[in-house]
Amino acid sequence: MELVRAHILVCGGTGCTSSGSKAVQEALHRELKKQGLDKEVKIVETGCHGFCEQGPLVIVYPEGTFYCQVQVEDIPELVEEHLLKGRILQRLLFTEPLTQERVPHYKEIDFYRKQRRLVLRNCGYIDPEKIDEYIARDGYVALAKVLGEMTPEDVIEEIKASGLRGRGGAGFPTGLKWGFAAQAPGEKKYVVCNADEGDPGAFMDRSILEGDPHCVLEGMLIGAYAIGSDEGYIYARAEYPLAIKRLKIALAQARELGLMGDNILGTDFCFDLHIKEGAGAFVCGEETALMASIEGQRGMPRSRPPFPANSGLWGKPTNINNVETWANVANIIRNGAKWYGQFGTEKSKGTKVFALTGKVKNTGLVEVPMGIPMREIIYEIGDGILGDKKFKAVQIGGPSGGCLSEGQLDLAVDYESLGSAGAIMGSGGLVVMDEETCMVDVAKFFLDFTRAESCGKCTPCREGIQRMREMLQDFSEGKGSLEDLDKLERLAQTIKDTALCGLGQTAPNPVLTTLRYFRDEYEAHIRDKRCPAGVCRALLTYYIVPELCRGCTACARVCPTGAITGKVKEPHVIDPEKCIKCGACMEACRFDSIILK
Amino acid sequence: MKMVNLTIDGCQVEVPLGSTVLEAAQKIGIEIPTLCYEKDLSLATACRMCVVEVEGNKKNLPAACAQPVMEGMIVHTNTPKVREARRMILELMVANHPLDCLTCEANGRCKLQQYCYEYGVKESSFTGERRRFTVDDGNPFIERDLEKCILCGLCVRVCDEVQGVAAIDYSDRGFDTKVTTFMDRGLADSPCVSCGQCVYLCPVGALTAKPSKGKGRDFEVEKVPTTCGYCGVGCQLALNVKKDKIVGVTNLPDNHNQGYLCVKGRFGYDFVDSPERLTTPLIKRDGEFVEASWDEALDLVAQKMAKVRDEHGPDAIAGLSSARTTNEENYLFQKFFRAVIGTNNIDHCARL
């Protein structure tokens, strides 16, 4: 193995790649060569570090110096300062917004300090395309332990004892699920990894697959051994080409080393995996639809029971877990259930990865211990609301989840607490909203999504979401009556009670939770014909502030309906009767004198 | 067989393990509404009309057609919550369904109409977008009006699972979902064999038998059980008769053909009243067919067959029998050829 004096880790996650990390990496190669350092310093492309907001990210070891927003132009200076002169390049360090201090090491940044990176322990640290680096970080040790020292029953007991619950959203105890599949009669059994992550804005599973694919493979190998399966599938979104590429590389490398295939590690255990690419349907993340899709059928859910543990893929006992669940397994086996039990709460053990997005200062991928108060995620890790505006709501769990208001900020983030508040843990989407967000508009957004992604099989989901969406449209235009709010609630409840699959049963959650916590905002739309957040266009009027208007006539010239009148060099006026709210005047005004109110 | 005891609407019932709540309810005569259920087909659990309340299940209202029975289970099929849910589902269906019952072929046998009547759904309180389609009437026997379709999927399943043709399936998603043919080309340009199984199972007026259109509603016709005359399978069917005219065909389940028919049995009845139908034997004289009596005709045939046999031997004659005759007639036919004519030259169209 080659010895080098320094490693430069360049983030190759999708976020950093789109902000230019590939060019940064090439520039680094060129500069190192130019300076004659290419034999002494090694560049490693890693998976996602999570702090996508600050990308492209570059970390230099052995010091562990964290440079952010690194551009190609910065490279010569970075190489000269850090690698030739041994000085930290201050201007590329992260600046703590509160104290304005520059922080050299990433573990000291508030964004990382509150996190517990167990699942993401290798993401951003190793080269995901090299199995050696995974093995160097104790990779496949858990598999060896399982095959060498544990019976399948031991493995299931250990997972049960750890308290691990499904990270796809519903939180079913993983050990129990494995036990069902293990006990189900049948020679042929399958294990499946659900990598059809589809919630808008969520990228937890993608980051794991891109940053540490082997930990998923190892988890699946252990699960397969536990339930007695010799064949598995990873069902991944086709929209994740990088994840699929790295999975394929990981699979080939594991096969080459005898960690996948026949007689793994010289034992009788045989197992291999197929990668199945989805075709873009959100509903295929629902396990029965996912299996139908693998079988080549249209991705439509079917009724459960029978559960996949008894009758799954091609009618055989099948165990399905999502990426993050599988990614937890090797850690638990390697360190023991007791070690795992120290993280989280009594009923929700371990950590959860969230994609923190929206109107929060630090966006990115975060992994926190279960039970952490929502406030800490938003205000300490996320560093509060962007532009220091007022917090309004946090949407958790994607289109199946719910919106929580300020009153729920101190809610513990665990399965039970979130459920009692009408939301769900979900797969890890966390969207923060500020005072300028309209909750009717938010509910509309999520229904647009579920309306388009409903498979169309069952009546409540197919027809009901459409009608909910139409009612919300009316409200956003000031139409409807207060009785309609009750009707909307009844409809939402019926859909929740009667829909066939998880997609339909949870699709009303954004409506039900916004009605529960922000009913006054709905009422303002209907009763006062007013959108308090100033979002719903139909309820706003364009207005020219006379004190700011210079009478340049620019607005009057672009107005397509002749709604603006006024003399040159005198304040103009908009006739709300004629105005069609196209917004052309606002764009044309150079003095910011046109406002929406 | 292991038996399971459960209580439905206060009535005890014992059914085999693996049964569904719907089956258990049917056993004791408790009616649960269904639109997408058919006992011989796979489960769709799509319409959600059969939802019931199960004590202890706080999560949702499970569908009776798919819910397996469990020992000690207590089921309520007619609570206010259940009725409210079913009403809402009917309202959702009706919001996307033309209310043209006055002229609809399905009037009187439409299950959606029946349930709306039972649940007091006069019209939908939901207004908004409606799905719009043009009627597919390219097939000579089956007309598809997708605006009336409630997407129960019975047609898709019967075409695939019973007929083995799979001419139709779902396309598009969500609100835009529809049942369609390959590349949306219409039934006439699909592998459809016009068996009409789908028409029979359609619970609404989305699929209609074109030859029956406008000729009589379900409640106007007398259903006369009979045996299909087309082939030796002898399918049982009922002829829909109105004013001494056959206007359609209805399935008769619980027979060896389980009610299913082919295109001939279901749609091939118009010959019965055809003015071109032969009513007497015809003999060709001087190049023209002339009406004759049975004695004249049979004498002529016997005479000509005897002549051929005498002059050229029995093997100069061959007999080809029809699948439209009965087994007994076919037996007599071959017996006649072997024993009377004296040849083995006998065959049957069904073997070709």
Side-chain angles (χ1 to χ4, degrees):
Chain A
M1 203 172 163
E2 52 182 329
L3 286 175
V4 290
R5 72 168 170 94
H7 284 83
I8 306 179
L9 311 190
V10 183
C11 180
T14 303
C16 283
T17 303
S18 57
S19 57
S21 72
K22 288 277 180 213
V24 167
Q25 203 184 134
E26 280 159 25
L28 267 170
H29 275 291
R30 279 197 305 273
E31 192 62 23
L32 288 180
K33 197 154 192 172
K34 195 170 141 194
Q35 300 287 355
L37 293 171
D38 50 333
K39 296 279 185 295
E40 294 172 42
V41 180
K42 190 180 172 191
I43 298 168
V44 180
E45 185 186 318
T46 69
C48 181
H49 289 75
F51 209 176
C52 312
E53 173 88 16
Q54 295 289 328
L57 303 175
V58 171
I59 303 178
V60 187
Y61 279 95
E63 301 88 349
T65 312
F66 185 83
Y67 292 113
C68 47
Q69 296 182 342
V70 180
Q71 300 300 316
V72 172
E73 308 81 75
D74 299 325
I75 298 304
E77 193 186 351
L78 181 70
V79 170
E80 187 180 324
E81 282 295 305
H82 195 120
L83 295 161
L84 282 177
K85 297 183 177 164
R87 292 194 298 229
I88 287 174
L89 180 55
Q90 292 287 330
R91 68 173 184 88
L92 287 180
L93 294 180
F94 178 72
T95 309
E96 223 38 279
L98 207 62
T99 56
Q100 289 298 310
E101 260 178 59
R102 295 193 182 275
V103 189
H105 196 277
Y106 82 93
K107 280 188 181 152
E108 291 152 15
I109 299 171
D110 278 348
F111 179 76
Y112 288 106
R113 212 201 311 257
K114 283 268 171 182
Q115 295 194 42
R116 290 310 300 251
R117 291 168 79 89
L118 307 182
V119 169
L120 302 174
R121 70 185 188 102
N122 289 331
C123 285
Y125 202 75
I126 62 167
D127 182 341
E129 297 186 8
K130 294 206 168 71
I131 193 169
D132 293 347
E133 300 204 3
Y134 179 69
I135 291 172
R137 295 271 292 163
D138 291 339
Y140 292 106
V141 165
L143 176 68
K145 183 178 171 184
V146 160
L147 295 183
E149 303 166 16
M150 298 171 85
T151 65
E153 294 75 31
D154 292 342
V155 177
I156 291 172
E157 282 313 310
E158 192 73 10
I159 298 296
K160 275 186 190 166
S162 75
L164 176 65
R165 293 168 67 174
R167 295 294 192 251
F172 192 81
T174 307
L176 210 57
K177 199 173 187 175
W178 288 17
F180 293 148
Q183 282 157 19
E187 280 290 301
K188 182 77 185 176
K189 292 178 184 178
Y190 291 98
V191 291
V192 176
C193 172
N194 182 348
D196 193 47
E197 180 176 57
D199 288 3
F203 55 101
M204 299 74 60
D205 295 348
R206 189 188 71 198
S207 295
I208 295 170
L209 292 173
E210 288 177 1
D212 194 10
H214 284 286
C215 79
V216 178
L217 301 191
E218 190 178 2
M220 291 185 77
L221 280 158
I222 293 168
Y225 173 76
I227 72 157
S229 159
D230 65 348
E231 197 176 354
Y233 281 85
I234 299 179
Y235 187 90
R237 309 182 71 184
E239 295 94 322
Y240 283 177
L242 186 60
I244 290 166
K245 178 188 150 206
R246 289 190 174 152
L247 270 174
K248 284 181 177 163
I249 293 170
L251 207 49
Q253 290 173 342
R255 283 190 190 123
E256 204 178 324
L257 293 189
L259 293 163
M260 189 72 71
D262 289 340
N263 303 104
I264 294 168
L265 293 174
T267 65
D268 292 338
F269 176 56
C270 306
F271 179 77
D272 214 330
L273 270 172
H274 310 272
I275 296 169
K276 171 84 185 176
E277 291 180 34
F282 175 71
V283 72
C284 286
E286 197 278 341
E287 61 183 16
T288 59
L290 183 149
M291 292 188 302
S293 179
I294 291 179
E295 290 171 8
Q297 316 276 339
R298 180 178 157 103
M300 272 182 154
R302 61 158 176 78
S303 209
R304 296 178 308 176
F307 288 95
N310 290 307
S311 177
L313 208 49
W314 290 292
K316 308 289 183 206
T318 302
N319 181 70
I320 303 186
N321 287 121
N322 94 322
V323 171
E324 196 183 331
T325 316
W326 287 121
N328 267 294
V329 170
N331 275 341
I332 293 171
I333 296 294
R334 204 174 54 249
N335 300 307
K338 203 171 160 209
W339 165 84
Y340 193 73
Q342 67 179 300
F343 307 102
T345 66
E346 197 196 335
K347 285 186 172 169
S348 304
K349 294 286 182 205
T351 57
K352 180 75 195 84
V353 183
F354 287 104
L356 182 61
T357 54
K359 303 287 179 62
V360 65
K361 280 180 194 153
N362 296 338
T363 59
L365 200 68
V366 305
E367 182 175 352
V368 290
M370 292 271 195
I372 187 174
M374 188 63 88
R375 190 183 293 278
E376 279 184 31
I377 301 181
I378 296 170
Y379 283 95
E380 296 186 26
I381 296 171
D383 199 32
I385 308 303
L386 207 59
D388 291 317
K389 294 207 171 95
K390 200 168 168 286
F391 168 86
K392 182 168 192 178
V394 58
Q395 211 281 348
I396 182 165
S400 308
C403 289
L404 303 178
S405 68
E406 198 169 6
Q408 284 78 46
L409 262 182
D410 290 310
L411 198 71
V413 176
D414 62 57
Y415 292 103
E416 278 71 28
S417 310
L418 289 171
S420 66
I424 60 164
M425 177 72 79
S427 60
L430 210 56
V431 186
V432 179
M433 300 160 195
D434 66 11
E435 56 196 325
E436 289 177 0
T437 315
C438 167
M439 299 318 286
V440 177
D441 193 58
V442 166
K444 258 168 63 179
F445 168 82
F446 282 107
L447 289 193
D448 275 338
F449 184 83
T450 39
R451 178 177 62 169
E453 294 298 341
S454 160
C455 82
K457 189 175 185 181
C458 80
T459 318
C461 178
R462 181 187 66 239
E463 310 284 338
I465 295 175
Q466 169 78 14
R467 301 307 165 204
M468 288 201 294
R469 176 65 181 77
E470 284 167 351
M471 290 177 85
L472 291 179
Q473 183 64 37
D474 282 351
F475 299 159
S476 73
E477 292 170 8
K479 297 176 195 159
S481 66
L482 291 178
E483 290 78 58
D484 285 339
L485 284 182
D486 299 328
K487 184 172 141 191
L488 175 65
E489 203 161 16
R490 282 206 317 277
L491 172 59
Q493 193 58 46
T494 303
I495 298 170
K496 202 175 162 79
D497 286 342
T498 60
L500 165 58
C501 82
L503 189 154
Q505 287 161 10
T506 57
N509 282 350
V511 172
L512 285 167
T513 50
T514 47
L515 272 174
R516 179 167 161 189
Y517 298 119
F518 301 94
R519 200 179 183 99
D520 53 341
E521 205 168 328
Y522 279 87
E523 288 171 356
H525 282 77
I526 297 166
R527 197 179 45 215
D528 311 335
K529 317 286 175 215
R530 187 173 63 86
C531 173
V535 173
C536 296
R537 197 161 272 253
L539 298 180
L540 301 173
T541 43
Y542 284 83
Y543 174 75
I544 300 175
V545 183
E547 296 77 34
L548 297 175
C549 180
R550 308 279 185 90
C552 73
T553 73
C555 56
R557 274 179 278 135
V558 296
C559 178
T561 57
I564 304 178
T565 49
K567 288 182 183 157
V568 181
K569 293 188 180 168
E570 282 180 25
H572 281 48
V573 183
I574 301 176
D575 179 358
E577 294 293 311
K578 286 186 185 168
C579 174
I580 54 165
K581 298 172 186 176
C582 67
C585 55
M586 205 174 194
E587 274 175 39
C589 179
R590 285 173 291 140
F591 310 104
D592 291 335
S593 66
I594 301 178
I595 58 167
L596 273 166
K597 69 172 192 180
Chain B
M1 193 185 299
K2 197 174 171 223
M3 301 300 280
V4 173
N5 287 286
L6 67 156
T7 311
I8 305 178
D9 294 346
C11 302
Q12 287 277 331
V13 56
E14 191 185 53
V15 286
L17 182 73
S19 308
T20 63
V21 168
L22 182 67
E23 287 161 345
Q26 282 169 343
K27 191 179 169 185
I28 49 175
I30 292 175
E31 217 169 288
I32 296 176
T34 60
L35 284 167
C36 70
Y37 174 80
E38 180 63 32
K39 72 176 182 347
D40 296 332
L41 301 179
S42 65
L43 279 177
T45 65
C47 73
R48 315 308 285 179
M49 272 304 286
C50 68
V51 290
V52 291
E53 242 181 291
V54 175
E55 282 191 18
N57 178 348
K58 291 199 174 67
K59 194 173 153 256
N60 62 353
L61 300 173
C65 68
Q67 175 66 48
V69 293
M70 278 182 266
E71 186 60 42
M73 194 180 221
I74 302 173
V75 182
H76 302 283
T77 71
N78 204 11
T79 62
K81 190 175 178 187
V82 165
R83 289 185 65 83
E84 164 69 18
R86 289 180 188 157
R87 261 189 67 92
M88 189 68 94
I89 288 165
L90 286 170
E91 273 199 47
L92 288 173
M93 284 181 181
V94 167
N96 212 350
H97 187 96
L99 294 179
D100 62 349
C101 305
L102 290 178
T103 51
C104 182
E105 282 298 318
N107 186 4
R109 67 161 180 82
C110 173
K111 285 178 94 176
L112 181 63
Q113 187 187 44
Q114 176 64 25
Y115 293 142
C116 282
Y117 175 74
E118 283 175 25
Y119 286 82
V121 177
K122 194 174 175 187
E123 57 189 2
S124 184
S125 63
F126 299 105
T127 51
E129 201 186 324
R130 275 256 307 273
R131 294 181 299 150
R132 297 289 173 193
F133 298 102
T134 46
V135 173
D136 171 16
D137 64 354
N139 180 296
F141 304 108
I142 302 168
E143 187 176 285
R144 297 165 68 234
D145 182 354
L146 293 187
E147 288 188 13
K148 292 184 181 174
C149 175
I150 56 165
L151 289 159
C152 68
L154 283 169
C155 54
V156 173
R157 281 174 284 148
V158 79
C159 191
D160 179 28
E161 295 168 19
V162 172
Q163 200 63 25
V165 171
I168 43 176
D169 209 331
Y170 300 96
S171 78
D172 297 278
R173 281 210 296 250
F175 193 71
D176 302 322
T177 307
K178 63 180 176 187
V179 173
T180 190
T181 53
F182 178 68
M183 299 302 283
D184 217 3
R185 286 181 188 155
L187 264 195
D189 198 11
S190 78
C192 170
V193 293
S194 306
C195 67
Q197 250 67 276
C198 54
V199 178
Y200 173 69
L201 286 181
C202 181
V204 292
L207 296 171
T208 42
K210 280 168 89 171
S212 305
K213 269 186 86 176
K215 295 193 176 144
R217 254 85 164 256
D218 198 60
F219 48 82
E220 292 177 282
V221 298
E222 187 190 350
K223 290 178 185 169
V224 184
T226 187
T227 305
C228 175
Y230 270 102
C231 80
V233 174
C235 290
Q236 299 299 294
L237 53 84
L239 293 172
N240 301 346
V241 179
K242 183 182 168 187
K243 293 182 185 161
D244 280 341
K245 293 269 186 240
I246 300 172
V247 294
V249 166
T250 300
N251 281 28
L252 281 183
D254 306 324
N255 279 300
H256 68 279
N257 56 312
Q258 297 173 322
Y260 300 121
L261 297 168
C262 74
V263 59
K264 293 191 270 185
R266 190 176 306 277
F267 298 112
Y269 52 78
D270 55 346
F271 70 91
V272 175
D273 291 314
S274 170
E276 289 172 13
R277 232 180 128 178
L278 292 181
T279 48
T280 63
L282 299 175
I283 291 173
K284 206 176 222 174
R285 288 195 176 112
D286 304 328
E288 289 284 318
F289 278 116
V290 183
E291 284 191 1
S293 71
W294 278 108
D295 280 344
E296 278 177 288
L298 287 172
D299 281 349
L300 182 67
V301 172
Q303 181 200 330
K304 293 217 164 174
M305 280 176 119
K307 189 167 176 241
V308 174
R309 188 186 59 185
D310 295 345
E311 287 177 12
H312 303 285
D315 283 344
I317 303 177
L320 190 63
S321 155
S322 164
R324 293 188 60 174
T325 53
T326 63
N327 264 349
E328 291 77 3
E329 286 162 335
N330 273 311
Y331 174 80
L332 287 173
F333 188 69
Q334 64 84 32
K335 193 81 182 168
F336 170 74
F337 265 75
R338 290 200 170 98
V340 180
I341 308 279
T343 177
N344 285 328
N345 290 345
I346 174 78
D347 214 332
H348 183 277
C349 74
R351 213 181 59 79
L352 296 177

